[in-house]
Amino acid sequence: MKIATYNINGINARLPVLLRWLAEESPDVVCLQELKSPQERFPLKEINAIGYHAVWHGQKSWNGVAVLSKYEIEEISRALPGDAEDVQSRYLEVMIQQVAICCLYLPNGNPFPGPKFEYKLTWIERLAKRAKTLLSMDIPAILIGDFNIIPTEMDTYKPEKYVDDALFRKEVKEAFSQLLEAGWQDAIRQLFPDQQVYTFWDYFRQAYSRNAGLRIDHILLSPSIQNRLIEGGIDRHVRGWEKSSDHAPTWIRLRNSSNNG
DNA sequence: ATGGCCACCGAGGGTGGA
């Protein structure tokens, strides 16, 4: 089973890019972030037409998350527990093929310091709590999406530029490493232990052609699914397409649970 | 040090992204 995450940065503006990538790479499951579309403007017809089911949680102008799948999708939740007042569409938890998949769009948090950064920290605490519950359930689970976290210096082209950036603040890096200490595995780093790999390149200043990137999209595996990790990668060439998102699709392939396929 | 690019909404520039 091939599972991907892709911050699409406006699903209607990027629909040709999304459909082309789906046709070429044929992932089984795709977690999308930043739909930037109200619920009713999600392009379901086009997505169904190429063989994908979809569950989504839209929002006018900002945020919005979706899960596309060739398999049946059972929706578990469309809100991260812990704050009934939070109206931002940033979390969608589903069950696909006995795997709990948590599609998330973690708040950016800039500028630091300020209320947006505080919201980010609170959101991370809520996520950590949900992640802990999932671990206690001892089921195959995946935290996947745009974390807006640069985990280590290795994950940015220029660490010194990001010291006081909300993506690289120590509180945020610590929260990420605590998830790993709790038992979650950073699948992409596991597969590329010594290599600088990025998932995002700014639109500014030819960031993509200079490879001035960040690794901020992540796929974290619960212990009970880690032995199923076969391979993974970042479809960085998609970032070079006309009208592309500033993120690139990031994916892993898992062995089937019942056999070695 | 700053701004640069791109999407959103809505009808012009303001806001958010990372």
Side-chain angles (χ1 to χ4, degrees):
Chain A
M1 180 158 75
K2 182 174 178 178
I3 304 179
T5 179
Y6 189 12
N7 179 318
I8 196 70
N9 188 7
I11 193 168
N12 289 302
R14 310 291 179 211
L15 193 57
V17 166
L18 176 63
L19 295 177
R20 178 180 167 192
W21 171 71
L22 290 171
E24 290 185 6
E25 303 300 331
S26 202
D28 297 296
V29 177
V30 183
C31 296
L32 298 174
Q33 302 86 34
E34 276 206 272
L35 303 179
K36 292 185 171 178
S37 162
Q39 187 72 8
E40 63 276 12
R41 285 189 54 209
F42 185 86
L44 181 62
K45 206 190 303 171
E46 291 86 343
I47 284 166
N48 285 163
I50 56 167
Y52 287 90
H53 304 279
V55 171
W56 71 99
H57 188 197
Q59 183 179 333
K60 190 181 174 185
S61 304
W62 317 120
N63 309 315
V65 284
V67 178
L68 318 184
S69 174
K70 293 183 178 181
Y71 302 108
E72 197 180 322
I73 308 171
E74 180 195 351
E75 181 178 325
I76 304 297
S77 164
R78 54 180 57 212
L80 182 61
D83 182 0
E85 310 283 294
D86 187 355
V87 294
Q88 300 191 26
S89 300
R90 295 179 174 276
Y91 185 85
L92 187 54
E93 188 175 314
V94 302
M95 191 69 77
I96 298 172
Q97 299 285 100
Q98 287 85 50
V99 180
I101 296 176
C102 309
C103 171
L104 61 101
Y105 175 44
L106 210 145
N108 174 303
N110 277 310
F112 168 85
K116 289 187 176 181
F117 188 71
E118 294 308 311
Y119 174 63
K120 181 176 194 171
L121 293 184
T122 309
W123 207 95
I124 292 174
E125 281 172 28
R126 290 163 59 199
L127 179 65
K129 204 166 179 181
R130 180 61 189 155
K132 191 177 176 184
T133 302
L134 288 165
L135 289 186
S136 73
M137 292 163 73
D138 197 27
I139 55 167
I142 306 180
L143 308 179
I144 177 169
D146 179 357
F147 281 64
N148 272 317
I149 296 175
I150 302 167
T152 70
E153 293 204 344
M154 193 180 174
D155 299 307
T156 163
Y157 65 101
K158 196 181 264 192
E160 64 273 20
K161 184 174 155 56
Y162 284 88
V163 274
D164 275 329
D165 191 288
L167 279 64
F168 199 51
R169 281 288 306 172
K170 65 177 191 312
E171 300 91 329
V172 165
K173 286 184 285 190
E174 279 168 14
F176 189 84
S177 66
Q178 277 166 20
L179 285 174
L180 305 187
E181 282 162 30
W184 297 91
Q185 179 187 58
D186 180 346
I188 294 297
R189 184 50 73 212
Q190 176 75 20
L191 293 165
F192 303 96
D194 309 310
Q195 207 177 321
Q196 285 197 296
V197 288
Y198 302 136
T199 65
F200 165 89
W201 296 263
D202 213 305
Y203 289 119
F204 300 156
R205 304 163 73 184
Q206 295 91 42
Y208 177 63
S209 56
R210 293 187 298 123
N211 197 27
L214 307 173
R215 189 173 74 96
I216 53 177
D217 299 274
H218 304 297
I219 305 175
L220 304 189
L221 305 180
S222 75
S224 58
I225 203 172
Q226 289 167 11
N227 63 355
R228 291 169 55 185
L229 180 62
I230 298 171
E231 61 167 347
I234 295 152
D235 293 337
R236 72 188 305 288
H237 66 283
V238 175
R239 176 64 181 81
W241 289 354
E242 194 87 5
K243 295 276 283 178
S244 80
S245 167
D246 39 8
H247 296 249
T250 303
W251 59 272
I252 58 166
R253 191 184 303 279
L254 297 173
R255 197 173 285 122
N256 290 340
S257 55
S258 51
N259 57 48
N260 288 334

PDB file of all heavy atoms in Angstrom, chain A residues 12-37:
ATOM      1  N   ASN A  12      -8.379  23.556  -6.035  1.00  0.00           N
ATOM      2  CA  ASN A  12      -8.974  23.895  -7.332  1.00  0.00           C
ATOM      3  C   ASN A  12      -7.945  24.534  -8.269  1.00  0.00           C
ATOM      4  O   ASN A  12      -7.922  24.219  -9.463  1.00  0.00           O
ATOM      5  CB  ASN A  12     -10.209  24.774  -7.129  1.00  0.00           C
ATOM      6  CG  ASN A  12     -11.356  23.962  -6.530  1.00  0.00           C
ATOM      7  OD1 ASN A  12     -11.783  22.963  -7.099  1.00  0.00           O
ATOM      8  ND2 ASN A  12     -11.817  24.346  -5.348  1.00  0.00           N
ATOM      9  N   ALA A  13      -7.067  25.349  -7.715  1.00  0.00           N
ATOM     10  CA  ALA A  13      -5.999  25.925  -8.530  1.00  0.00           C
ATOM     11  C   ALA A  13      -5.023  24.855  -9.013  1.00  0.00           C
ATOM     12  O   ALA A  13      -4.403  24.994 -10.066  1.00  0.00           O
ATOM     13  CB  ALA A  13      -5.251  26.995  -7.738  1.00  0.00           C
ATOM     14  N   ARG A  14      -4.877  23.784  -8.231  1.00  0.00           N
ATOM     15  CA  ARG A  14      -3.869  22.753  -8.544  1.00  0.00           C
ATOM     16  C   ARG A  14      -4.450  21.489  -9.144  1.00  0.00           C
ATOM     17  O   ARG A  14      -3.729  20.501  -9.275  1.00  0.00           O
ATOM     18  CB  ARG A  14      -3.146  22.320  -7.263  1.00  0.00           C
ATOM     19  CG  ARG A  14      -2.613  23.396  -6.392  1.00  0.00           C
ATOM     20  CD  ARG A  14      -1.464  24.118  -7.011  1.00  0.00           C
ATOM     21  NE  ARG A  14      -1.009  25.176  -6.131  1.00  0.00           N
ATOM     22  CZ  ARG A  14      -0.469  26.308  -6.569  1.00  0.00           C
ATOM     23  NH1 ARG A  14      -0.308  26.525  -7.853  1.00  0.00           N
ATOM     24  NH2 ARG A  14      -0.070  27.221  -5.713  1.00  0.00           N
ATOM     25  N   LEU A  15      -5.732  21.490  -9.455  1.00  0.00           N
ATOM     26  CA  LEU A  15      -6.362  20.241  -9.859  1.00  0.00           C
ATOM     27  C   LEU A  15      -5.651  19.539 -11.028  1.00  0.00           C
ATOM     28  O   LEU A  15      -5.425  18.324 -10.950  1.00  0.00           O
ATOM     29  CB  LEU A  15      -7.857  20.462 -10.169  1.00  0.00           C
ATOM     30  CG  LEU A  15      -8.688  19.184 -10.300  1.00  0.00           C
ATOM     31  CD1 LEU A  15      -8.607  18.329  -9.051  1.00  0.00           C
ATOM     32  CD2 LEU A  15     -10.139  19.513 -10.625  1.00  0.00           C
ATOM     33  N   PRO A  16      -5.239  20.252 -12.082  1.00  0.00           N
ATOM     34  CA  PRO A  16      -4.523  19.550 -13.163  1.00  0.00           C
ATOM     35  C   PRO A  16      -3.232  18.884 -12.680  1.00  0.00           C
ATOM     36  O   PRO A  16      -2.920  17.767 -13.085  1.00  0.00           O
ATOM     37  CB  PRO A  16      -4.224  20.667 -14.168  1.00  0.00           C
ATOM     38  CG  PRO A  16      -5.245  21.725 -13.888  1.00  0.00           C
ATOM     39  CD  PRO A  16      -5.489  21.664 -12.408  1.00  0.00           C
ATOM     40  N   VAL A  17      -2.497  19.568 -11.801  1.00  0.00           N
ATOM     41  CA  VAL A  17      -1.261  18.998 -11.247  1.00  0.00           C
ATOM     42  C   VAL A  17      -1.585  17.759 -10.409  1.00  0.00           C
ATOM     43  O   VAL A  17      -0.929  16.716 -10.541  1.00  0.00           O
ATOM     44  CB  VAL A  17      -0.514  20.050 -10.393  1.00  0.00           C
ATOM     45  CG1 VAL A  17       0.565  19.407  -9.528  1.00  0.00           C
ATOM     46  CG2 VAL A  17       0.103  21.124 -11.290  1.00  0.00           C
ATOM     47  N   LEU A  18      -2.614  17.863  -9.571  1.00  0.00           N
ATOM     48  CA  LEU A  18      -2.993  16.730  -8.718  1.00  0.00           C
ATOM     49  C   LEU A  18      -3.404  15.522  -9.558  1.00  0.00           C
ATOM     50  O   LEU A  18      -2.940  14.394  -9.312  1.00  0.00           O
ATOM     51  CB  LEU A  18      -4.144  17.142  -7.792  1.00  0.00           C
ATOM     52  CG  LEU A  18      -4.713  16.026  -6.900  1.00  0.00           C
ATOM     53  CD1 LEU A  18      -3.661  15.510  -5.923  1.00  0.00           C
ATOM     54  CD2 LEU A  18      -5.950  16.497  -6.154  1.00  0.00           C
ATOM     55  N   LEU A  19      -4.238  15.739 -10.554  1.00  0.00           N
ATOM     56  CA  LEU A  19      -4.735  14.624 -11.376  1.00  0.00           C
ATOM     57  C   LEU A  19      -3.593  13.978 -12.162  1.00  0.00           C
ATOM     58  O   LEU A  19      -3.532  12.755 -12.291  1.00  0.00           O
ATOM     59  CB  LEU A  19      -5.843  15.107 -12.320  1.00  0.00           C
ATOM     60  CG  LEU A  19      -7.125  15.604 -11.626  1.00  0.00           C
ATOM     61  CD1 LEU A  19      -8.114  16.134 -12.649  1.00  0.00           C
ATOM     62  CD2 LEU A  19      -7.780  14.509 -10.773  1.00  0.00           C
ATOM     63  N   ARG A  20      -2.681  14.804 -12.648  1.00  0.00           N
ATOM     64  CA  ARG A  20      -1.534  14.261 -13.392  1.00  0.00           C
ATOM     65  C   ARG A  20      -0.655  13.409 -12.487  1.00  0.00           C
ATOM     66  O   ARG A  20      -0.247  12.306 -12.849  1.00  0.00           O
ATOM     67  CB  ARG A  20      -0.721  15.408 -13.992  1.00  0.00           C
ATOM     68  CG  ARG A  20       0.518  14.925 -14.728  1.00  0.00           C
ATOM     69  CD  ARG A  20       1.313  16.084 -15.312  1.00  0.00           C
ATOM     70  NE  ARG A  20       2.636  15.626 -15.746  1.00  0.00           N
ATOM     71  CZ  ARG A  20       3.623  16.451 -16.085  1.00  0.00           C
ATOM     72  NH1 ARG A  20       3.441  17.762 -16.044  1.00  0.00           N
ATOM     73  NH2 ARG A  20       4.790  15.973 -16.464  1.00  0.00           N
ATOM     74  N   TRP A  21      -0.397  13.934 -11.286  1.00  0.00           N
ATOM     75  CA  TRP A  21       0.450  13.183 -10.351  1.00  0.00           C
ATOM     76  C   TRP A  21      -0.228  11.874  -9.938  1.00  0.00           C
ATOM     77  O   TRP A  21       0.426  10.820  -9.889  1.00  0.00           O
ATOM     78  CB  TRP A  21       0.769  14.044  -9.122  1.00  0.00           C
ATOM     79  CG  TRP A  21       1.438  13.290  -8.029  1.00  0.00           C
ATOM     80  CD1 TRP A  21       2.721  12.804  -8.026  1.00  0.00           C
ATOM     81  CD2 TRP A  21       0.857  12.908  -6.771  1.00  0.00           C
ATOM     82  NE1 TRP A  21       2.967  12.130  -6.850  1.00  0.00           N
ATOM     83  CE2 TRP A  21       1.845  12.183  -6.065  1.00  0.00           C
ATOM     84  CE3 TRP A  21      -0.391  13.108  -6.187  1.00  0.00           C
ATOM     85  CZ2 TRP A  21       1.608  11.662  -4.792  1.00  0.00           C
ATOM     86  CZ3 TRP A  21      -0.625  12.596  -4.932  1.00  0.00           C
ATOM     87  CH2 TRP A  21       0.368  11.880  -4.242  1.00  0.00           C
ATOM     88  N   LEU A  22      -1.519  11.907  -9.669  1.00  0.00           N
ATOM     89  CA  LEU A  22      -2.247  10.681  -9.302  1.00  0.00           C
ATOM     90  C   LEU A  22      -2.179   9.658 -10.434  1.00  0.00           C
ATOM     91  O   LEU A  22      -1.953   8.466 -10.191  1.00  0.00           O
ATOM     92  CB  LEU A  22      -3.714  11.005  -8.983  1.00  0.00           C
ATOM     93  CG  LEU A  22      -3.980  11.780  -7.690  1.00  0.00           C
ATOM     94  CD1 LEU A  22      -5.445  12.217  -7.621  1.00  0.00           C
ATOM     95  CD2 LEU A  22      -3.621  10.956  -6.458  1.00  0.00           C
ATOM     96  N   ALA A  23      -2.340  10.129 -11.660  1.00  0.00           N
ATOM     97  CA  ALA A  23      -2.312   9.214 -12.805  1.00  0.00           C
ATOM     98  C   ALA A  23      -0.927   8.600 -12.976  1.00  0.00           C
ATOM     99  O   ALA A  23      -0.790   7.415 -13.281  1.00  0.00           O
ATOM    100  CB  ALA A  23      -2.729   9.956 -14.074  1.00  0.00           C
ATOM    101  N   GLU A  24       0.111   9.393 -12.741  1.00  0.00           N
ATOM    102  CA  GLU A  24       1.475   8.903 -12.964  1.00  0.00           C
ATOM    103  C   GLU A  24       1.963   7.999 -11.847  1.00  0.00           C
ATOM    104  O   GLU A  24       2.677   7.029 -12.086  1.00  0.00           O
ATOM    105  CB  GLU A  24       2.439  10.094 -13.132  1.00  0.00           C
ATOM    106  CG  GLU A  24       2.224  10.839 -14.437  1.00  0.00           C
ATOM    107  CD  GLU A  24       3.256  11.931 -14.668  1.00  0.00           C
ATOM    108  OE1 GLU A  24       4.219  12.053 -13.878  1.00  0.00           O
ATOM    109  OE2 GLU A  24       3.094  12.676 -15.658  1.00  0.00           O
ATOM    110  N   GLU A  25       1.632   8.324 -10.604  1.00  0.00           N
ATOM    111  CA  GLU A  25       2.222   7.618  -9.468  1.00  0.00           C
ATOM    112  C   GLU A  25       1.264   6.624  -8.808  1.00  0.00           C
ATOM    113  O   GLU A  25       1.708   5.749  -8.072  1.00  0.00           O
ATOM    114  CB  GLU A  25       2.715   8.626  -8.423  1.00  0.00           C
ATOM    115  CG  GLU A  25       3.727   9.631  -8.963  1.00  0.00           C
ATOM    116  CD  GLU A  25       4.992   8.976  -9.509  1.00  0.00           C
ATOM    117  OE1 GLU A  25       5.360   7.886  -9.031  1.00  0.00           O
ATOM    118  OE2 GLU A  25       5.597   9.557 -10.439  1.00  0.00           O
ATOM    119  N   SER A  26      -0.004   6.807  -9.034  1.00  0.00           N
ATOM    120  CA  SER A  26      -1.006   5.854  -8.573  1.00  0.00           C
ATOM    121  C   SER A  26      -0.908   5.468  -7.094  1.00  0.00           C
ATOM    122  O   SER A  26      -0.933   4.281  -6.756  1.00  0.00           O
ATOM    123  CB  SER A  26      -0.908   4.589  -9.442  1.00  0.00           C
ATOM    124  OG  SER A  26      -2.110   3.876  -9.386  1.00  0.00           O
ATOM    125  N   PRO A  27      -0.792   6.451  -6.199  1.00  0.00           N
ATOM    126  CA  PRO A  27      -0.793   6.109  -4.772  1.00  0.00           C
ATOM    127  C   PRO A  27      -2.143   5.517  -4.367  1.00  0.00           C
ATOM    128  O   PRO A  27      -3.165   5.843  -4.970  1.00  0.00           O
ATOM    129  CB  PRO A  27      -0.560   7.460  -4.086  1.00  0.00           C
ATOM    130  CG  PRO A  27      -1.076   8.467  -5.070  1.00  0.00           C
ATOM    131  CD  PRO A  27      -0.770   7.907  -6.420  1.00  0.00           C
ATOM    132  N   ASP A  28      -2.124   4.631  -3.364  1.00  0.00           N
ATOM    133  CA  ASP A  28      -3.380   4.034  -2.893  1.00  0.00           C
ATOM    134  C   ASP A  28      -4.127   4.984  -1.966  1.00  0.00           C
ATOM    135  O   ASP A  28      -5.356   4.989  -1.936  1.00  0.00           O
ATOM    136  CB  ASP A  28      -3.084   2.730  -2.152  1.00  0.00           C
ATOM    137  CG  ASP A  28      -2.453   1.718  -3.070  1.00  0.00           C
ATOM    138  OD1 ASP A  28      -3.119   1.297  -4.027  1.00  0.00           O
ATOM    139  OD2 ASP A  28      -1.277   1.357  -2.848  1.00  0.00           O
ATOM    140  N   VAL A  29      -3.361   5.737  -1.184  1.00  0.00           N
ATOM    141  CA  VAL A  29      -3.952   6.665  -0.213  1.00  0.00           C
ATOM    142  C   VAL A  29      -3.207   7.998  -0.307  1.00  0.00           C
ATOM    143  O   VAL A  29      -1.974   8.006  -0.367  1.00  0.00           O
ATOM    144  CB  VAL A  29      -3.835   6.114   1.227  1.00  0.00           C
ATOM    145  CG1 VAL A  29      -4.379   7.120   2.241  1.00  0.00           C
ATOM    146  CG2 VAL A  29      -4.560   4.781   1.360  1.00  0.00           C
ATOM    147  N   VAL A  30      -3.935   9.090  -0.325  1.00  0.00           N
ATOM    148  CA  VAL A  30      -3.309  10.414  -0.372  1.00  0.00           C
ATOM    149  C   VAL A  30      -3.951  11.313   0.678  1.00  0.00           C
ATOM    150  O   VAL A  30      -5.174  11.466   0.704  1.00  0.00           O
ATOM    151  CB  VAL A  30      -3.487  11.086  -1.749  1.00  0.00           C
ATOM    152  CG1 VAL A  30      -2.762  12.427  -1.770  1.00  0.00           C
ATOM    153  CG2 VAL A  30      -2.987  10.193  -2.867  1.00  0.00           C
ATOM    154  N   CYS A  31      -3.119  11.894   1.517  1.00  0.00           N
ATOM    155  CA  CYS A  31      -3.581  12.889   2.476  1.00  0.00           C
ATOM    156  C   CYS A  31      -3.238  14.269   1.927  1.00  0.00           C
ATOM    157  O   CYS A  31      -2.065  14.547   1.649  1.00  0.00           O
ATOM    158  CB  CYS A  31      -2.917  12.674   3.829  1.00  0.00           C
ATOM    159  SG  CYS A  31      -3.376  11.088   4.566  1.00  0.00           S
ATOM    160  N   LEU A  32      -4.237  15.104   1.777  1.00  0.00           N
ATOM    161  CA  LEU A  32      -4.037  16.445   1.228  1.00  0.00           C
ATOM    162  C   LEU A  32      -4.237  17.493   2.310  1.00  0.00           C
ATOM    163  O   LEU A  32      -5.087  17.329   3.196  1.00  0.00           O
ATOM    164  CB  LEU A  32      -5.041  16.712   0.103  1.00  0.00           C
ATOM    165  CG  LEU A  32      -4.969  15.810  -1.131  1.00  0.00           C
ATOM    166  CD1 LEU A  32      -6.139  16.117  -2.066  1.00  0.00           C
ATOM    167  CD2 LEU A  32      -3.651  15.987  -1.866  1.00  0.00           C
ATOM    168  N   GLN A  33      -3.466  18.577   2.203  1.00  0.00           N
ATOM    169  CA  GLN A  33      -3.634  19.701   3.119  1.00  0.00           C
ATOM    170  C   GLN A  33      -3.724  20.999   2.317  1.00  0.00           C
ATOM    171  O   GLN A  33      -3.295  21.058   1.184  1.00  0.00           O
ATOM    172  CB  GLN A  33      -2.462  19.803   4.103  1.00  0.00           C
ATOM    173  CG  GLN A  33      -2.233  18.563   4.950  1.00  0.00           C
ATOM    174  CD  GLN A  33      -1.360  17.550   4.263  1.00  0.00           C
ATOM    175  OE1 GLN A  33      -0.441  17.911   3.525  1.00  0.00           O
ATOM    176  NE2 GLN A  33      -1.620  16.271   4.472  1.00  0.00           N
ATOM    177  N   GLU A  34      -4.236  22.006   2.992  1.00  0.00           N
ATOM    178  CA  GLU A  34      -4.445  23.327   2.382  1.00  0.00           C
ATOM    179  C   GLU A  34      -5.304  23.255   1.133  1.00  0.00           C
ATOM    180  O   GLU A  34      -4.897  23.700   0.066  1.00  0.00           O
ATOM    181  CB  GLU A  34      -3.115  24.034   2.092  1.00  0.00           C
ATOM    182  CG  GLU A  34      -2.550  24.766   3.294  1.00  0.00           C
ATOM    183  CD  GLU A  34      -1.644  25.936   2.908  1.00  0.00           C
ATOM    184  OE1 GLU A  34      -0.447  25.707   2.728  1.00  0.00           O
ATOM    185  OE2 GLU A  34      -2.147  27.074   2.800  1.00  0.00           O
ATOM    186  N   LEU A  35      -6.496  22.707   1.302  1.00  0.00           N
ATOM    187  CA  LEU A  35      -7.433  22.678   0.178  1.00  0.00           C
ATOM    188  C   LEU A  35      -7.802  24.098  -0.249  1.00  0.00           C
ATOM    189  O   LEU A  35      -8.058  24.359  -1.417  1.00  0.00           O
ATOM    190  CB  LEU A  35      -8.713  21.940   0.575  1.00  0.00           C
ATOM    191  CG  LEU A  35      -8.582  20.505   1.085  1.00  0.00           C
ATOM    192  CD1 LEU A  35      -9.959  19.961   1.439  1.00  0.00           C
ATOM    193  CD2 LEU A  35      -7.901  19.615   0.061  1.00  0.00           C
ATOM    194  N   LYS A  36      -7.870  25.004   0.703  1.00  0.00           N
ATOM    195  CA  LYS A  36      -8.292  26.395   0.450  1.00  0.00           C
ATOM    196  C   LYS A  36      -9.609  26.423  -0.330  1.00  0.00           C
ATOM    197  O   LYS A  36      -9.748  27.197  -1.284  1.00  0.00           O
ATOM    198  CB  LYS A  36      -7.214  27.166  -0.303  1.00  0.00           C
ATOM    199  CG  LYS A  36      -5.947  27.419   0.508  1.00  0.00           C
ATOM    200  CD  LYS A  36      -5.003  28.289  -0.292  1.00  0.00           C
ATOM    201  CE  LYS A  36      -3.812  28.759   0.523  1.00  0.00           C
ATOM    202  NZ  LYS A  36      -2.899  29.574  -0.309  1.00  0.00           N
ATOM    203  N   SER A  37     -10.524  25.588   0.072  1.00  0.00           N
ATOM    204  CA  SER A  37     -11.784  25.462  -0.639  1.00  0.00           C
ATOM    205  C   SER A  37     -12.908  25.229   0.354  1.00  0.00           C
ATOM    206  O   SER A  37     -12.747  24.431   1.279  1.00  0.00           O
ATOM    207  CB  SER A  37     -11.699  24.280  -1.607  1.00  0.00           C
ATOM    208  OG  SER A  37     -12.991  23.869  -2.011  1.00  0.00           O
TER     209      SER A  37
END
